[in-house]
Amino acid sequence: MTESLLSIRDLEVSYGAVQVLFGIGLEVRAGEIVSIIGPNGAGKSTVIKAVVGLVPAQSGCIVFAGRDITNLPAHAVPALGIGYVPQGRIVFAQMTVADNLEMGAFLQKDARKRRAAVQTVFERFPRLYERRSQPAGKLSGGEQQMLAIGRALMLNPRLVILDEPSLGLSPKYVDLIFEQLLALRDQGRTLLMVEQNAARALELSDRGYALELGHNRFADTGAKLLANADVRRMYLGGV
Ligand SMILES: Nc1ncnc2c1ncn2[C@@H]1O[C@H](COP(=O)(O)OP(=O)(O)OP(=O)(O)O)[C@@H](O)[C@H]1O
Ligand SMILES: [Mg+2]
């Protein structure tokens, strides 16, 4: 079995006095797409935020590529080879599409390499190239999500973490985003995502984790989770 690229053990997180994660465990092996599913408030985003240093782990450990990254500050995470696409398509609205992408490579001091990375994103998303000089705030929701993903790819990360990449997008863009996720995996990247579109996410995931009130509830291959009657009833609308 391939060694884990990302390994989360016994993760506990609290916001103030309120504990929201209780002993969460999760493994992502190199080359996999792994999804975290669960109802609103289950703690999905919090798991991701702990990995990228946006919330502190109270206990437990997070290991990436053999290195303990528990409670590393968020600013140190991109250089590790982890790209993060936050929930809600956060882009710099006043800045152009091209400048937004450049921001994703602020660690890359070589301007030529930075521009080459922007070109690579434009090849992946031709629509962003067409709109490269426009302020990001003028883009449609689907285009902003492409931009947020493109920005996370600028430093050529091994692991891309996406929080609700399809949330609020029109069906056309949902298809496009999911196609892009598969393309990223086929190009050798590893993906960890949270998705409210749980059935769709599990269809393309190698494995998935279902959370309930901050606890691990189910963990299995995407196909087995989709076939599991309890998972279907609890997480997939009972169909
Ligand atoms: N900054 C915060 N301060 C206090 N409580 C928070 C904060 N962020 C999240 N919570 C609480 O922690 C719990 C887990 O939230 P989290 O955002 O991780 O859930 P989620 O599964 O991503 O939900 P959603 O599907 O709504 O995005 C919820 O009860 C939420 O209200
Ligand atoms: Mg969330």
Side-chain angles (χ1 to χ4, degrees):
M1 193 177 287
T2 328
E3 199 185 317
S4 283
L5 181 61
L6 178 72
S7 175
I8 301 176
R9 298 271 161 80
D10 296 323
L11 178 65
E12 314 248 318
V13 171
S14 297
Y15 292 108
V18 182
Q19 185 166 353
V20 299
L21 295 185
F22 302 85
I24 292 293
L26 184 150
E27 305 286 331
V28 183
R29 298 180 197 120
E32 281 189 321
I33 299 182
V34 172
S35 287
I36 304 174
I37 63 169
N40 292 125
K44 308 179 296 295
S45 294
T46 302
V47 172
I48 281 182
K49 285 178 181 169
V51 174
V52 299
L54 292 173
V55 299
Q58 193 176 320
S59 62
C61 75
I62 302 170
V63 175
F64 176 71
R67 174 174 169 191
D68 188 340
I69 64 162
T70 318
N71 289 329
L72 216 61
H75 66 78
V77 169
L80 298 171
I82 299 178
Y84 170 53
V85 183
Q87 187 169 345
R89 304 192 285 276
I90 296 163
V91 295
F92 301 104
Q94 314 295 328
M95 289 171 54
T96 65
V97 167
D99 287 346
N100 264 273
L101 290 176
E102 291 241 356
M103 288 291 287
F106 66 96
L107 290 174
Q108 176 55 262
K109 298 297 174 224
D110 183 335
R112 232 181 32 201
K113 286 189 181 155
R114 235 173 23 233
R115 279 195 299 272
V118 172
Q119 286 312 314
T120 305
V121 172
F122 285 155
E123 282 159 25
R124 181 181 296 281
F125 296 114
R127 185 73 185 142
L128 293 182
Y129 177 72
E130 289 164 21
R131 311 207 64 179
R132 64 192 177 281
S133 305
Q134 299 199 16
K138 296 260 192 254
L139 302 185
S140 72
E143 291 166 346
Q144 288 183 358
Q145 188 59 284
M146 287 186 220
L147 180 56
I149 294 173
R151 196 176 52 202
L153 295 174
M154 284 291 292
L155 290 172
N156 201 20
R158 285 180 77 183
L159 174 67
V160 185
I161 301 182
L162 305 105
D163 197 345
E164 309 272 15
S166 82
L167 185 64
L169 301 187
S170 66
K172 183 183 93 175
Y173 278 115
V174 173
D175 288 346
L176 196 147
I177 295 294
F178 279 113
E179 265 169 42
Q180 283 299 325
L181 299 184
L182 281 174
L184 286 171
R185 197 266 309 269
D186 292 345
Q187 288 157 10
R189 276 181 234 269
T190 304
L191 272 65
L192 171 63
M193 68 170 153
V194 165
E195 254 296 334
Q196 33 74 47
N197 199 338
R200 191 82 190 261
L202 291 176
E203 276 167 26
L204 61 81
S205 293
D206 298 289
R207 291 182 310 103
Y209 291 84
L211 304 190
E212 186 184 12
L213 292 172
H215 295 265
N216 279 107
R217 180 68 199 254
F218 297 95
D220 213 328
T221 64
K224 282 189 178 150
L225 288 173
L226 276 173
N228 181 316
D230 291 328
V231 172
R232 297 187 78 81
R233 181 173 49 78
M234 293 171 63
Y235 295 91
L236 306 174
V239 285

